[in-house]
Amino acid sequence: MPAHQSRSRTRDRNNVLNRPEFISLNQPLARSSSRRHSAQAGQFKQPQSQQEPQQQPQQQQNGNTRDRKDSAQQQPEEDCMQLNPSFKGIAYNSLLAIDICMSKRMGVCAYKTSSWGSVRSMVTLLAMTGHGVVWIGVTLICLTRSSTLAGQEVLVNLLLALILDIMTVAGVQKLMKRKGPLEVSPGFLDYVSMDMYAFPAAHASRATMVSKFLLNHLVLAVPLRILLVLWAFLMGISRILQGRHHITDVMCGFALGFLHYKLVEMVWLSSNTCQTLISIWTFSWTPFFI
């Protein structure tokens, strides 16, 4: 056989092996490259109008996966779902759920159609005895009728304690803005005394402060002392029965009222200071010129 014929046959065989369908026979490739070449080989057989609809969904899927990865990297840890929450978070959420559930069940006097709706008027009357407006009005009346220096000293300090309690509780309520367990609208006296939110319970705080104050500065018989303590306790319970406060709101109200009493005892105003305040309030300037 002539040499030029053998060379031409070898050249033709190499050209055949270089065709797309025989690339895998010519040299071994990785799986990814073989798939890619097979896809390219299949594309040669498909018309251009059929290639574009298949490429568009793949491009959209790739774009969606890239966007998801970028968003997952950019999101802070707080926005991501925590599969392993801390023990403190679990305990806090559990106690909060128990508090809400028990408070809703105890709100048996919230409406007239409630299970204890027949005693709703009595509970409301008991709650009115703990309003800040009522206590300030009674204290002012007693102060105007008091004729002793010791009585005026106690009443002035009690008046300042009531103002401190109202302002502090209203500020904390505005800060926390926690609503009650049941949707009970506040009354007129609640709006006047700025008692529109649940945490802390203003009635419980005021009842604790007033009862502790009176027990320490008034000489009362044992039955009256017991009734005063019982009144403070029932004041907090009545607000839960009305659906206005949670159990934790009342407990924090008791603690806050005790702190108010301690603060008033620390900054107790003397008799001379009380007389000066009374003179300024009544516009009686005669003591300053005598």
Side-chain angles (χ1 to χ4, degrees), residues 42 52 61 67 77 98 112 125 157 196 223 229 254 269:
E52 293 179 356
Q61 291 179 359
D67 294 338
E77 295 180 357
I98 293 171
K112 294 181 180 180
L125 181 62
N157 283 277
M196 293 176 289
V229 175
F254 287 150
L269 300 181

Side-chain angles (χ1 to χ4, degrees), residues 51 86 126 128-129 153 157 184 189 200 231 233 257:
Q51 293 178 10
S86 61
L126 177 63
M128 287 185 63
T129 60
E153 179 182 354
N157 283 277
V184 180
L189 293 178
W231 168 77
F233 176 75

Side-chain angles (χ1 to χ4, degrees), residues 176 190-191 224 245 276:
M176 301 301 295
D190 295 328
Y191 282 107
L224 292 177
H245 297 281
T276 303

Side-chain angles (χ1 to χ4, degrees), residues 41-100:
Q43 290 178 0
F44 287 117
K45 298 180 181 180
Q46 296 177 356
Q48 188 70 19
S49 61
Q50 295 180 359
Q51 293 178 10
E52 293 179 356
Q54 292 181 359
Q55 292 178 359
Q56 289 179 358
Q58 292 180 358
Q59 292 177 358
Q60 291 178 358
Q61 291 179 359
N62 294 331
N64 293 332
T65 54
R66 289 177 182 176
D67 294 338
R68 291 175 182 175
K69 290 181 180 179
D70 296 338
S71 62
Q73 292 178 357
Q74 293 177 0
Q75 284 181 354
E77 295 180 357
E78 296 178 355
D79 296 336
C80 300
M81 181 177 64
Q82 296 181 359
L83 298 179
N84 295 321
S86 61
F87 176 76
K88 292 182 180 179
I90 295 174
Y92 175 77
N93 292 329
S94 300
L95 292 176
L96 184 62
I98 293 171
D99 179 32
I100 295 174

